[in-house]
Amino acid sequence: MNRIKQAILSAVAVGATLGAHAQPTELTEIKVSYQPALYWALPFFVATEKNWWAEVGLRPVFSVFPAGVPQMAAAASKSWDVGATGSVPAVLGFLRFGIRTVGLSNDESGTNALMASQAAAQQFVKNPASMKGQTILVTSNSTGDFAVQACLRKYGLSKSDVSIRNMGQAEIISALSSGGGALAGLWAPNTYQVEEKAGAVQLCSGKDGGVVVPGALVARGDYAQQNPENVAKFLAVYLRAWSWMHANRGEAIAMMRRFYEQGGTQVDDVSLQKEFATRPTFRLDQQLARMDRSRGDSEMDGWFSQIAHFMRGTGAIQNAPASNAYITEAYMKRVNADPKLREFANRTN
């Protein structure tokens, strides 16, 4: 069995590590962190299956975490060098551990959503104002929470108009499926699971609420400073995986199914297709465009500033850091400046 699969199967253990395909000893080890069975983590699985890491001289050792907060905390012991995570933990990671955001994993705006149970959906669709006074099950200080608050504003409501109950995503899925809740904040693929298994209805996404929910590619600050070439190679591998997947959708969907199942998540083919359809990713040129500060703050700066201000409002952080303190385009530019890495990142085969 491929060792990356073994790690995915044991992903519930925080900090579990795995090795990729056996590689020659001259390859440079790089420690990569992520969370299992998530769309933005799929490139790590694809790149390992395709043995692309070795093409740029890297040998990945993976650490798999159940959520972003323990993932960021593990950086303190240098258990990982680079990886991907949500935008909320990326900001926390900078403030607490000096984590740098070096790129975008995907746009999750359409897949962080306010969901309603099958029994209550019709009422809320017909009269969104009837949510006032209701309890919403939410994973606090998460992108799901961010999307829910954006949706409430869309309906002319605020967080103070409802009762927020903090729960983990698995608990929320169970409650929504068993009639223990009528409204909830979830993200994909959890949204698909409650749609398929419990008939839940998506009322509003972050995108519907007018916000952008970015995913982050990250690196430990000290590692990035000391190993800029390795960070650039990591980014090139990640970008190549997306380039290949979008050019080879059928095979990519099959690999996604395996990746999700090995992470303990099962969704149908329609939902797998929906992942690609609703979650934009970014080619090298698109990454650079969204990180461009030649005329002031970049588009990416604006997205993460919204996230940071949301976190300040929830009390998760005392002050919103300046985005240019933790978002850096230097490593993406390094990929673009190297003809071999640039070609590699854009390759579709």
Side-chain angles (χ1 to χ4, degrees), residues 53-230:
W53 300 95
E55 291 188 37
V56 295
L58 296 178
R59 179 174 60 84
V61 175
F62 293 91
S63 295
V64 184
F65 297 87
V69 172
Q71 181 186 7
M72 295 300 100
S77 62
K78 299 186 178 181
S79 66
W80 58 266
D81 305 318
V82 295
T85 194
S87 45
V88 170
V91 175
L92 285 173
F94 165 70
L95 290 172
R96 296 177 182 174
F97 308 107
I99 302 301
R100 305 301 298 275
T101 294
V102 296
L104 294 161
S105 62
N106 75 134
D107 178 349
E108 309 175 354
S109 311
T111 55
N112 281 262
L114 175 62
M115 307 287 294
S117 67
Q118 186 176 37
Q122 187 173 357
Q123 171 193 343
F124 296 133
V125 170
K126 184 177 180 180
N127 180 21
S130 64
M131 293 181 201
K132 189 170 184 177
Q134 296 289 324
T135 296
I136 304 179
L137 311 179
V138 171
T139 303
S140 295
N141 299 320
S142 67
T143 52
D145 189 356
F146 180 57
V148 165
Q149 293 193 40
C151 288
L152 289 174
R153 289 194 297 271
K154 175 189 174 183
Y155 297 133
L157 300 170
S158 67
K159 189 175 180 179
S160 62
D161 290 320
V162 298
S163 176
I164 298 294
R165 184 179 177 188
N166 180 31
M167 298 176 71
Q169 290 282 286
E171 295 175 290
I172 293 173
I173 292 171
S174 178
L176 210 59
S177 301
S178 63
L183 290 166
L186 290 164
W187 53 77
N190 302 326
T191 50
Y192 310 139
Q193 287 188 296
V194 294
E195 286 175 335
E196 295 167 15
K197 297 178 181 179
V201 174
Q202 180 171 308
L203 301 176
C204 169
S205 68
K207 183 178 180 180
D208 297 328
V211 296
V212 175
V213 185
L217 298 174
V218 294
R220 285 193 297 107
D222 56 346
Y223 179 85
Q225 186 175 13
Q226 297 164 14
N227 302 276
E229 187 63 24
N230 290 348

Side-chain angles (χ1 to χ4, degrees), residues 29-43:
E29 179 180 286
I30 188 168
K31 299 173 184 176
V32 183
S33 70
Y34 69 97
Q35 298 158 45
L38 292 175
Y39 181 67
W40 50 254
L42 181 59

